[in-house]
Amino acid sequence: MNRINQKLKENKKLLSIYFTAGYPSLNDTVSIIQDLEKNGVDMIEIGLPFSDPLADGPTIQDSSTQALKNGMTTEVLFNQLKDIRKTVNIPLIIMGYFNPMFQYGVEAFCKKCQEIGIDGLIIPDLPVDVYHEKYQSTFEKYGLSNVFLITPQTSDDRIRYIDSVSNGFIYMVSSASTTGAKSGFGDEQTAYFERINSLNLKNPQIVGFGISNNATFTAATKYAKGAIIGSAFVKHLTAKNAKEIDTFVSSILS
């Protein structure tokens, strides 16, 4: 059982934080991960920056652009994380687009993830059917969970299919938009959360997109196992130059 599955069994609502590797500065990656764990974050999504993002709003796009300018690459990230398991115990997930992984070699990428202690991948532009037919056996060979996104527009049949090939959690996108902080959830989102809840899926769901503070974290986790915060944390890193992470995390959890 990998760290993601162990964490999902804990009797609490989980806070997952996303940030872009190599931002604000190239060598901030490891210290940000360590600070997040130290301050009570349950899981971390490490964004592998890409020049043509599909799902990211302007905050994360800008951080990716800067990280690439700083010199972040797949190889640099793997090198930064090579000793991460000497100091960090919580689940670590790499979130990125398929092209850099394909260029690196899918099996080589998965093997490297296993070597350094990555627990899962989130690849928004890898369709579930392509994954199932071509890559699932490789991911499983290296002990990696592949996390799929669902949205309010995803059909029940498609969601059940995603659930059947998943082995960790399902990333429940709160609305049909790009990433970014929102002030709250309306009736439409609540109905969507309730619809997913009623499907009784085998994999727990974690809500992402639009979580930015204690109120939205509490609202999202009423219907799900946890919530993911990305843009709001990246904005904090921008404003505080990767400092005062304790203040940010406590504002979400308290």
Side-chain angles (χ1 to χ4, degrees):
M1 184 185 297
N2 83 8
R3 296 176 194 88
I4 294 172
N5 301 106
Q6 290 172 344
K7 181 60 72 172
L8 290 166
K9 288 186 180 302
E10 292 183 12
N11 186 25
K12 61 178 290 198
K13 298 296 187 180
L14 304 181
L15 172 60
S16 182
I17 295 279
Y18 167 95
F19 76 99
T20 305
Y23 181 83
S25 300
L26 181 63
N27 294 314
D28 284 335
T29 311
V30 170
S31 61
I32 290 171
I33 292 169
Q34 291 168 335
D35 282 354
L36 286 170
E37 180 179 46
K38 188 170 68 182
N39 287 290
V41 169
D42 297 293
M43 273 193 286
I44 298 171
E45 292 173 19
I46 304 159
L48 179 60
F50 184 50
S51 56
D52 300 302
L54 302 175
D56 300 323
T59 300
I60 291 175
Q61 278 197 29
D62 290 347
S63 70
S64 287
T65 301
Q66 186 58 51
L68 291 169
K69 284 180 182 171
N70 290 344
M72 180 51 68
T73 65
T74 304
E75 200 60 69
V76 168
L77 178 60
F78 283 149
N79 193 49
Q80 288 181 349
L81 297 177
K82 68 182 190 299
D83 296 320
I84 196 69
R85 286 303 174 193
K86 291 180 180 176
T87 56
V88 172
N89 296 310
I90 60 174
L92 299 176
I93 297 168
I94 289 180
M95 182 169 186
Y97 294 91
F98 189 57
N99 193 29
M101 299 175 193
F102 187 75
Q103 296 290 337
Y104 193 89
V106 175
E107 178 142 9
F109 191 96
C110 291
K111 185 171 187 283
K112 197 72 179 173
C113 284
Q114 183 189 55
E115 285 172 7
I116 61 181
I118 297 298
D119 303 290
L121 298 173
I122 301 173
I123 313 165
D125 60 339
L126 177 60
V128 61
D129 2 37
V130 176
Y131 165 76
H132 184 46
E133 289 161 22
K134 290 190 171 183
Y135 302 114
Q136 184 167 357
S137 58
T138 305
F139 277 56
E140 290 176 350
K141 176 180 173 182
Y142 295 104
L144 294 169
S145 290
N146 193 25
V147 177
F148 292 98
L149 283 68
I150 62 171
T151 74
Q153 282 65 45
T154 311
S155 70
D156 289 1
D157 286 348
R158 187 79 170 169
I159 291 168
R160 291 190 192 284
Y161 177 51
I162 286 170
D163 190 44
S164 73
V165 301
S166 297
N167 60 347
F169 66 90
I170 292 172
Y171 189 131
M172 188 159 65
V173 176
S174 66
S175 61
S177 66
T178 56
T179 54
K182 311 262 191 311
S183 57
F185 297 114
D187 293 344
E188 196 177 325
Q189 272 128 348
T190 302
Y192 160 59
F193 293 158
E194 289 173 345
R195 172 169 76 91
I196 304 306
N197 221 18
S198 71
L199 294 176
N200 294 315
L201 304 174
K202 70 179 174 75
N203 290 280
Q205 301 88 57
I206 296 184
V207 179
F209 289 44
I211 322 291
S212 61
N213 51 30
N214 178 261
T216 44
F217 177 78
T218 303
T221 54
K222 181 178 176 186
Y223 300 97
K225 178 63 180 173
I228 300 156
I229 295 179
S231 295
F233 182 64
V234 172
K235 283 180 180 173
H236 174 87
L237 294 178
T238 306
K240 303 294 184 182
N241 198 26
K243 302 289 189 288
E244 299 178 39
I245 287 174
D246 55 338
T247 311
F248 180 86
V249 176
S250 64
S251 76
I252 305 299
L253 294 176
S254 58

